[in-house]
Amino acid sequence: MIVAASSINSPKLLMLSGIGPAAHLAEHGIEVVADRPGVGQNLQDHLEMYIQMAATQPVSLFSHWNLWGKGVVGTQWMLNRTGLGASNQFESAGFIRSRAGVEYPDIQYHFLPMAVRYDGQAAAEGHGFQAHVGPMRSGSRGHVTLASNDPAEAPKILFNYMSTEQDWADFRTCIRLTREIFGQRAFAPYRGHEILPGDEYQSDDQLNEAIKEHVESAYHPCGTCRMGAADDAGAVVDPECRVIGIDGLRVADSSIFPRITNGNLNAPSIMVGEKASDHILGRSLPPSDEEPWIHPAWRVAQR
Ligand SMILES: Cc1cc2nc3c(=O)[nH]c(=O)nc-3n(C[C@H](O)[C@H](O)[C@H](O)COP(=O)(O)OP(=O)(O)OC[C@H]3O[C@@H](n4cnc5c(N)ncnc54)[C@H](O)[C@@H]3O)c2cc1C
């Protein structure tokens, strides 16, 4: 059997089936089949916030942000599958390193040619643009636990966001680096004032205030049935996605990530499914000793 119900529902299903932290299962009157303390633990996510700038030229999607414009875009998409509706508009993205001493680019960017709330509910004052930015490897860890032994009841989800000092320092760095990018000469013909968080937010305390107000989930929960060695007490699945201590049961979704990926989760989640099916079919690729490229000056320079 293969469980692939997401990093929220896979641990829930395992716990309801008696696989999880013994004491927690006992609290809910569930008979323990395998005491796996790691089930539901190690919950991680990506947080992000957006830095919004006003544009001094009418170059953004704001021209289409009205009933007529939306109607035209929608019609074009419905009839021809073309036009602005054919894109999600997040067409440029990038990764940079936050500081010297970090081996890999640990900050992710997406650029949107409009200043608007992520849920599309409220556009900013006029033409503008924004960067969605966030650190990729937070040290914060949360958990998913059962609220009861009733399968119809939602589990309790606690992310423990921003629970380390480094999380705050990393987000302040994100804001300051984004300001530096938007301050480049290439942006000069278009750059208006900073809408969000706003020029008045400069000191560490002020930036912390802005982060607290504006940071939001990128919807990347993972890690709650983490993979590890069969003798790792905190691991839930072994390197072939088999639930440790149970025969004939695998987990194959984003819950098995030991550590959140350094980028969005959809493709890595699909890869987990592909890799698990290879293991089941006994078709694994030969081992590779390819190394990722690492900037030679990573220890001493941010760029
Ligand atoms: C709003 C939003 C935007 C996102 N945008 C991006 C993006 O732009 N790029 C990106 O890479 N990632 C994005 N993600 C993240 C990505 O979608 C997830 O990380 C990925 O889908 C996780 O895959 P999964 O297989 O672990 O879980 P899921 O994709 O959630 O699959 C779990 C499946 O199990 C089913 N299920 C749950 N419980 C049960 C049950 N009891 N019985 C039977 N079936 C059950 C669910 O219906 C679901 O089909 C986004 C996520 C959200 C929510």
Side-chain angles (χ1 to χ4, degrees), residues 186-209:
F187 275 103
Y190 312 103
R191 186 177 55 237
H193 65 280
E194 184 177 295
I195 301 168
L196 198 130
D199 283 335
E200 63 279 24
Y201 291 86
Q202 294 296 337
S203 70
D204 282 3
D205 284 347
Q206 288 166 334
L207 292 184
N208 287 349
E209 210 181 299

Side-chain angles (χ1 to χ4, degrees), residues 4-7 9 13 118 218-221 252-255 264-267 269:
S6 84
S7 50
N9 281 315
L13 283 177
Y118 193 24
Y219 304 111
H220 292 169
D253 59 22
S254 59
S255 69
N264 286 5
L265 264 64
N266 196 39
S269 304

